[in-house]
Amino acid sequence: MHITRREILDLLIQTPLFSHLPEGSLNLLADAMAVKEFRQGDFIFAINDSSEEMFLISEGEIILKLSNQEPESCFAQLKRGDLFGVLAIVFDDPR
């Protein structure tokens, strides 16, 4: 998957958390971002993992589940432009 820098900036501008930032700050944030690709069934993170990343979905959908519960419980379904993992970063807490 390839995403251009312009597409990253457009996603950031459309994200409520970042939409108010000045252009220079958006550029710095875009420069700090890395593209990661996940396949269906991949684990992105687990409960109690360290919180060093947040995620902005550029393509596809993600279902967040608590897999330590039977049956697995879905607590969020996210799509392009959605951001997750932010609270763990802000409060420097494990996931």
Side-chain angles (χ1 to χ4, degrees):
M1 179 189 129
H2 176 72
I3 184 168
T4 66
R5 189 167 194 289
R6 180 74 249 166
E7 290 171 314
I8 291 171
L9 284 168
D10 288 344
L11 276 171
L12 290 171
I13 290 166
Q14 295 168 19
T15 303
L17 182 64
F18 304 122
S19 63
H20 69 284
L21 293 176
E23 186 177 345
S25 296
L26 288 168
N27 282 314
L28 288 172
L29 189 54
D31 290 342
M33 295 180 79
V35 175
K36 289 189 173 186
E37 197 169 327
F38 298 96
R39 299 184 194 281
Q40 185 173 343
D42 283 354
F43 284 93
I44 296 174
F45 55 77
I47 294 173
N48 293 321
D49 277 356
S50 64
S51 51
E52 299 168 356
E53 303 172 301
M54 62 182 163
F55 299 87
L56 176 60
I57 301 170
S58 63
E59 185 178 304
E61 292 184 347
I62 292 178
I63 296 174
L64 298 178
K65 298 179 180 180
L66 292 175
S67 61
N68 64 340
Q69 298 183 3
E70 291 296 328
E72 286 186 343
S73 68
C74 169
F75 66 92
Q77 187 167 354
L78 308 172
K79 63 187 179 329
R80 178 181 168 82
D82 287 336
L83 189 64
F84 67 101
V86 177
L87 292 178
I89 297 285
V90 171
F91 294 108
D92 195 25
D93 285 336
R95 308 262 181 208

